[in-house]
């Protein structure tokens, strides 16, 4: 998707209309051409106007949330990897909400494209790392089998409306100070369809579709993350009158792992080891996504140091390869010493000339900073 409208306005994805309006007004005051004629600022001004146009309109916002761009002429592409599906046109959505395009003459079709649907799917970190196949229960409108989507009871059929003679609209001549004016409006008897269904299908009450639960098998590619949407073309809601189905979007929700925290395609965890082990070096077993591996703690390891296990993270969604698993070391100072242990440590301090250490002072919190830096650099 080209533009993140939420980011443009600086609001969260679940922001309410009030919040969106406030954010827009604040930015508009700041960036208005009268206030700030700089061309770069003007680009920003156009952006926030576009973002507001979409997010302040519940229908456009829904289209946008489903992965489309309501301001792009073809509705924009859907979530990137939907088997080349072309997304959905904004006009289709508008048709679904408002009926056939305004200005169109003649009866409107009873058949319309169905709406897109969205379902959330929880997966584990392991499933995200390697990909999986899931069975999904989806509840959507499907074509009514009793009437095959026609809406008429079996053995009956739709008939031409006698009020408009099938034209779907009725004309009326009225007098006004400009003279005679002819106006036409949708036929009230057939609601503009041009046909009436005298005996609606008892199964679907004439809608041509019923709700049903289906089981779908969905392939989840390796590397998906929280919020990734997988587009299944034509698996959404069937339209009225047996119209073509919309698309189904499967939104991924990754459950928290007990040991690993995901940042991008890298995984992070902390291992706490006693001071003696940090000084002498040791190996600790770690259950990685690929089985148990020995983490090599080298002699003299400091608290806050990190040990990367290359290629033990999440598979990159595009282009293969894997992120790293980064083990952050936390050195534990021994407490509750018995007499013998204390004696040993005092003896060690004497041997190392550390009975009265002067300490090394530096600005800030070195340990914490280096840890953060390591995390950002993926070390
Ligand atoms: Zn039916
Ligand atoms: Zn009519």
């Amino acid at each position: 998707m080209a533009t993140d409208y939420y980011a443009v306005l600086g609001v969260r994805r679940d922001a309410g209309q009030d919040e969106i309006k406030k954010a827009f007004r604040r930015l508009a005051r700041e960036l208005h051409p009268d206030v700030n004629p700089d061309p770069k600022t003007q680009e920003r001004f156009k952006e926030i106007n576009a973002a507001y146009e979409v997010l302040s309109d519940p229908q456009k916002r829904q289209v946008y949330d489903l992965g489309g761009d309501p301001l792009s002429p073809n509705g924009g592409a859907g979530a990137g990897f939907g088997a080349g599906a072309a997304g959905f046109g904004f006009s289709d959505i508008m048709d679904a909400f408002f009926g056939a395009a305004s200005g169109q003459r003649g009866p409107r079709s009873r058949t319309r494209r169905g709406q897109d649907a969205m379902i959330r799917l929880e997966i584990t970190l392991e499933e995200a790392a390697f990909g999986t196949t899931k069975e999904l229960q989806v509840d959507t409108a499907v074509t009514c089998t009793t009437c095959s989507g026609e809406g008429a009871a079996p053995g009956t059929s739709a008939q031409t409306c006698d009020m408009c003679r099938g034209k779907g609209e009725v004309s009326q001549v009225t007098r006004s100070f400009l003279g005679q004016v002819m106006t036409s409006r949708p036929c009230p008897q057939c609601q503009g369809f041009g046909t009436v269904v005298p005996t609606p299908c008892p199964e679907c009450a004439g809608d041509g579709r019923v709700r049903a639960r289906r089981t779908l098998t969905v392939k989840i590619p390796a590397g998906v993350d929280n919020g990734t949407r997988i587009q299944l073309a034509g698996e959404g809601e069937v339209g009225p009158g047996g119209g073509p189905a919309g698309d189904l979007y499967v939104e991924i929700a990754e459950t928290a792992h007990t040991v690993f925290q995901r940042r991008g395609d890298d995984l992070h965890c902390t291992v706490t080891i006693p001071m003696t082990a940090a000084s002498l070096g040791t190996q600790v077993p770690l259950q990685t996504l690929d089985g148990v591996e020995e983490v090599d703690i080298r002699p003299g390891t400091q608290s806050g140091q990190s040990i990367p296990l290359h290629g033990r993270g999440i598979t990159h969604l595009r282009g293969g390869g894997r992120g790293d698993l980064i083990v952050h070391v936390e050195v534990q100072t021994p407490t509750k010493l018995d007499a013998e242990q204390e004696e040993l440590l005092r003896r060690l301090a004497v041997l190392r000339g550390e009975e009265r250490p002067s300490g090394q002072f530096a600005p800030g919190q070195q340990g914490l900073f280096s840890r953060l830096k390591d995390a950002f650099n993926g070390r």
Side-chain angles (χ1 to χ4, degrees):
M1 184 168 313
T3 319
D4 182 348
Y5 292 134
Y6 291 98
V8 167
L9 290 184
V11 295
R12 287 168 320 180
R13 293 192 77 82
D14 58 356
Q17 285 301 320
D18 272 0
E19 204 178 320
I20 287 169
K21 193 181 272 178
K22 250 190 226 157
F24 170 70
R25 284 205 181 135
R26 187 174 48 75
L27 288 166
R29 265 200 302 271
E30 212 174 285
L31 304 169
H32 196 275
D34 295 345
V35 182
N36 202 331
D38 173 55
K40 235 183 202 156
T41 313
Q42 285 327 297
E43 270 313 299
R44 271 278 286 153
F45 187 67
K46 272 184 212 153
E47 255 176 43
I48 64 162
N49 273 295
Y52 185 66
E53 186 186 335
V54 172
L55 299 186
S56 64
D57 178 332
Q59 280 143 17
K60 288 183 187 171
R61 185 174 177 179
Q62 195 190 15
V63 172
Y64 176 71
D65 284 345
L66 288 170
D69 185 350
L71 298 184
S72 126
N74 63 1
F81 44 88
F88 46 86
F90 184 54
S91 59
D92 295 338
I93 296 285
M94 298 310 279
D95 285 356
F97 282 112
F98 301 122
S102 55
Q104 186 188 314
R105 310 296 285 184
R108 62 191 177 111
S109 170
R110 286 189 181 274
T111 301
R112 274 177 285 149
R113 182 185 188 272
Q115 291 193 32
D116 296 312
M118 173 123 85
I119 192 167
R120 248 171 73 96
L121 175 66
E122 284 206 340
I123 61 168
T124 63
L125 186 72
E126 286 87 349
E127 289 170 331
F130 301 119
T132 182
T133 303
K134 286 274 183 184
E135 302 250 291
L136 274 185
Q137 299 281 322
V138 286
D139 233 321
T140 57
V142 299
T143 305
C144 172
T145 49
T146 307
C147 64
S148 314
E150 302 285 326
T156 73
S157 61
Q159 283 162 16
T160 306
C161 172
D162 55 11
M163 191 178 218
C164 61
R165 285 183 230 96
K167 284 195 308 221
E169 55 181 26
V170 286
S171 305
Q172 204 172 11
V173 178
T174 46
R175 273 174 205 286
S176 77
F177 63 93
L178 293 170
Q180 290 196 334
V181 179
M182 179 135 102
T183 54
S184 56
R185 59 196 172 95
C187 170
Q189 181 166 293
C190 62
Q191 282 88 46
F193 292 123
T195 55
V196 287
V197 179
T199 323
C201 167
E203 187 67 34
C204 62
D207 190 35
R209 52 187 186 162
V210 289
R211 295 208 75 81
R213 171 160 284 209
R214 295 172 291 149
T215 304
L216 279 179
T217 306
V218 188
K219 203 175 167 312
I220 312 291
V224 292
D225 202 347
N226 258 329
T228 302
R229 284 176 187 167
I230 296 165
Q231 184 184 31
L232 303 175
E235 297 288 1
E237 310 267 349
V238 160
D247 299 335
L248 176 69
Y249 288 84
V250 178
E251 188 176 86
I252 299 295
E254 198 181 281
T255 52
H257 192 269
T258 48
V259 176
F260 301 128
Q261 192 188 41
R262 178 172 176 179
R263 288 180 214 151
D265 288 338
D266 290 337
L267 298 176
H268 294 260
C269 71
T270 303
V271 62
T272 303
I273 51 165
M275 178 197 78
T276 45
S279 185
L280 300 172
T282 187
Q283 289 199 325
V284 282
L286 169 64
Q287 179 73 47
T288 71
L289 300 183
D290 303 83
V292 176
E293 274 182 48
E294 295 290 330
V295 180
D296 192 24
I297 313 274
R298 265 168 283 175
T301 295
Q302 304 293 330
S303 206
Q305 221 164 303
S306 54
I307 301 164
L309 303 181
H310 293 293
R312 290 287 179 255
I314 307 285
T315 310
H316 300 307
L317 185 58
R318 291 159 223 266
R322 288 174 64 184
D324 300 332
L325 167 55
I326 292 138
V327 181
H328 300 266
V329 179
E330 193 83 50
V331 175
Q332 206 166 38
T333 305
T335 54
K336 292 182 190 148
L337 302 172
D338 66 23
E340 189 185 358
Q341 292 165 356
E342 190 180 334
E343 181 50 39
L344 265 172
L345 277 181
R346 285 196 189 286
R347 176 101 187 97
L348 180 65
V350 170
L351 285 174
R352 291 179 56 83
E354 292 171 349
E355 301 128 289
R356 290 184 60 83
S358 58
Q360 286 175 27
F361 295 93
Q365 290 172 284
Q366 295 255 312
L368 181 65
F369 275 132
S370 63
R371 231 170 298 170
L372 285 175
K373 205 175 69 201
D374 283 354
F376 277 120
N377 297 339
R379 268 185 281 127

